[in-house]
Amino acid sequence: LRQLTRSGRTSPTRFAVLFIDLDNFKRINDSLGHDVGDELLVSVAASLTKILRNQDIVARLGGDEFTMIVDNLDHTHVAAKVASRVIEAVGEIRDLKGHSLIVTPSIGISIFPDDGHSGEELLKNADCAMYESKKRGKSNYHFYTETMNMDALTRLDLETALRKAIDQNDIHLHYQPKVNLATGDIGGAEVLARWTLNEQFISPETFISIAEEAGLIKKLGEQILRKACLQYQYWVEKGLAKGRIAINLSAHQFEDEALVDTVERILQETGLSADYLELEITESMVVNETQKAIEQMHQLRKLGITLAIDDFGTGYSSLSYLKEFPVNTLKIDRCFINDMLNTDRNRNIVELIVNMAHTLSMNVVAEGVETIEQAKAIKLMNAEEIQGYLFSKPIPAEEFEQLLAKAPNLNEKLKRS
């Protein structure tokens, strides 16, 4: 702990300390004898060791008190998941010296650096949280900070609910049109996943990150891809759809070696031609193992689909790699569009991105266009498409089909203004 807290002062390291106390251990010791009690401690120690991750540490402080360090903590709910595994592992029935025993743990959790900057302080606060856990009924865990406790519980509840929603196919899709600036017509759409839990909207940023951490993203990604391709093929057959349907890939999906086979299989199953599909990736997804990422992109392009870089300009940009990417489209992030009319400098940045994309033989989509003035400025820069609330917010499939049937024209709106 001292070593970790020292290194944590010079780096953004976060870790959790779990203080584990066995419930009613004294009663077992007193009624069955110290030999049984000692065997029980050895058995519990073995159970704790089995559930350790490589970077974690477990120790026995004394008596029936154990501690665990959960290192490299990205989110506090990871500590809660480890605590849940401890409760499950320790709570197994144990046959010791002719006795069948069940022992449960009460666990307190403190987080570095939020709950202390020294090992002593973290242990003390985790110990304090453990007593709160005992007060709440034992066989439980509790964070030292009530806010963290609620956040972790909420996150775990969301993970359980999301797993159920994916199993029941309850993630719904909305569609936001992309508008061709040359013709003013709808030139395709982007798919956006939506989830409502108990009539409350859960943001995609929240549930996508949970899906990635919980190992659900592959199943969810396939589900979204299949559903979107089926829907778009229906619109193609009705003669309503023009252009491509754009679907976002998460980093976990993009790194999956089976991605190309999965995309090819879903296109075959749904009947959608690859000409109608565009997959969106972000700059940050291709920073690590760039050559491997480029090869993955080439394999996807061989299927006949197109690729777009989403949120361009917000992540790590390397022009030396960008010119190597077999990408068809750059999507300018909304943060640039929001500010483009505030100053000449901001406007010049957007124009620079458009010109650079055209130099690299890429099309440009401007995201987050909300005003007539923004649309006119982007059209003057010769960008190909815009996307944003000026034309339409993301809407369910039924409403999007009605929009396709009405075929509103953006250029007529621009002329009237």
Side-chain angles (χ1 to χ4, degrees):
L1 268 173
R2 288 194 187 102
Q3 184 178 338
L4 280 171
T5 52
R6 282 195 208 104
S7 61
R9 290 167 195 158
T10 57
S11 68
T13 301
R14 295 185 86 222
F15 62 86
V17 175
L18 275 60
F19 198 104
I20 306 162
D21 185 88
L22 303 184
D23 300 324
N24 303 318
F25 177 75
K26 186 176 185 301
R27 189 170 65 193
I28 294 172
N29 233 2
D30 293 344
S31 61
L32 300 178
H34 292 279
D35 286 349
V36 174
D38 288 349
E39 287 292 324
L40 177 58
L41 292 176
V42 171
S43 179
V44 168
S47 296
L48 293 175
T49 304
K50 284 179 183 176
I51 64 170
L52 280 184
R53 303 177 305 168
N54 290 336
Q55 66 266 40
D56 298 337
I57 300 167
V58 67
R60 175 172 170 254
L61 286 186
D64 62 331
E65 294 175 341
F66 295 83
T67 53
M68 187 178 286
I69 299 172
V70 180
D71 202 3
N72 296 325
L73 201 67
D74 293 327
H75 299 281
T76 53
H77 78 281
V78 174
K81 292 177 78 168
V82 174
S84 296
R85 288 203 295 268
V86 169
I87 292 169
E88 183 180 350
V90 172
E92 295 175 346
I93 298 174
R94 300 172 193 277
D95 293 317
L96 302 171
K97 295 187 179 295
H99 301 279
S100 289
L101 301 175
I102 296 178
V103 62
T104 58
S106 291
I107 305 170
I109 307 172
S110 62
I111 306 289
F112 175 86
D114 309 68
D115 302 327
H117 292 276
S118 69
E120 291 79 4
E121 192 177 6
L122 290 165
L123 281 172
K124 176 176 70 71
N125 291 338
D127 189 17
C128 177
M130 182 272 294
Y131 279 104
E132 183 64 30
S133 180
K134 281 190 180 294
K135 279 195 277 182
R136 297 189 180 204
K138 302 178 181 179
S139 189
N140 205 344
Y141 64 84
H142 195 271
F143 283 81
Y144 177 69
T145 308
E146 190 65 33
T147 302
M148 285 187 181
N149 201 56
M150 292 304 297
D151 287 348
L153 288 172
T154 300
R155 188 92 174 186
L156 286 173
D157 287 344
L158 280 175
E159 181 182 319
T160 301
L162 178 60
R163 194 178 297 273
K164 182 178 178 182
I166 293 171
D167 287 342
Q168 296 180 350
N169 207 14
D170 280 342
I171 304 299
H172 304 291
L173 303 186
H174 283 201
Y175 301 82
Q176 186 172 37
K178 294 189 292 182
V179 183
N180 185 306
L181 284 172
T183 65
D185 297 326
I186 296 174
E190 179 181 357
V191 175
L192 298 148
R194 294 291 183 261
W195 180 35
T196 302
L197 178 63
N198 299 327
E199 300 184 355
Q200 181 181 355
F201 175 76
I202 310 297
S203 76
E205 290 80 6
T206 297
F207 73 78
I208 293 297
S209 68
I210 291 174
E212 289 178 337
E213 292 160 16
L216 301 170
I217 192 64
K218 183 177 180 180
K219 185 175 182 179
L220 175 59
E222 286 190 29
Q223 196 174 96
I224 291 170
L225 182 62
R226 181 176 288 103
K227 194 181 292 188
C229 288
L230 271 173
Q231 181 63 73
Y232 210 66
Q233 174 62 14
Y234 171 74
W235 288 329
V236 168
E237 290 173 354
K238 290 188 71 173
L240 293 173
K242 298 176 182 177
R244 299 180 180 88
I245 187 76
I247 303 172
N248 291 281
L249 291 180
S250 77
H252 288 68
Q253 287 176 279
F254 184 68
E255 293 166 2
D256 184 4
E257 293 181 356
L259 173 64
V260 176
D261 291 338
T262 299
V263 173
E264 186 174 22
R265 171 170 46 81
I266 289 176
L267 286 173
Q268 290 174 351
E269 290 173 358
T270 60
L272 183 69
S273 168
D275 296 336
Y276 286 107
L277 179 61
E278 182 172 78
L279 296 179
E280 296 186 1
I281 59 177
T282 62
E283 296 167 272
S284 58
M285 286 162 54
V286 293
V287 172
N288 298 319
E289 299 188 66
T290 307
Q291 290 304 324
K292 185 176 179 181
I294 291 173
E295 178 58 28
Q296 181 84 304
M297 284 188 271
H298 277 295
Q299 292 300 318
L300 288 167
R301 290 283 288 118
K302 283 180 181 178
L303 295 180
I305 66 175
T306 61
L307 296 175
I309 292 187
D310 196 17
D311 302 333
F312 182 78
T314 60
Y316 174 86
S317 300
S318 171
L319 295 182
S320 63
Y321 282 124
L322 185 61
K323 65 183 177 66
E324 303 296 332
F325 293 161
V327 170
N328 308 85
T329 303
L330 283 189
K331 299 189 75 175
I332 305 175
D333 188 74
R334 68 184 65 248
C335 69
F336 294 104
I337 306 303
N338 288 341
D339 298 334
M340 68 176 290
L341 300 181
N342 294 343
T343 66
D344 288 342
R345 180 172 179 163
N346 290 342
R347 185 190 187 102
N348 291 340
I349 289 173
V350 175
E351 191 164 14
L352 177 67
I353 295 173
V354 173
N355 291 336
M356 181 196 66
H358 288 164
T359 300
L360 296 171
S361 302
M362 298 178 188
N363 293 331
V364 175
V365 178
E367 294 185 291
V369 176
E370 298 183 355
T371 69
I372 293 287
E373 291 73 24
Q374 289 170 346
K376 286 182 174 180
I378 294 163
K379 187 173 182 179
L380 285 173
M381 296 175 190
N382 295 317
E384 281 71 25
E385 292 181 316
I386 65 167
Q387 180 180 339
Y389 277 36
L390 172 64
F391 194 84
S392 173
K393 65 181 181 180
I395 51 179
E398 305 79 32
E399 292 181 37
F400 190 75
E401 185 170 330
Q402 293 171 10
L403 190 69
L404 289 172
K406 289 178 182 176
N409 189 280
L410 175 67
N411 287 343
E412 292 177 7
K413 188 174 184 178
L414 296 182
K415 288 176 185 176
R416 292 195 301 267
S417 63

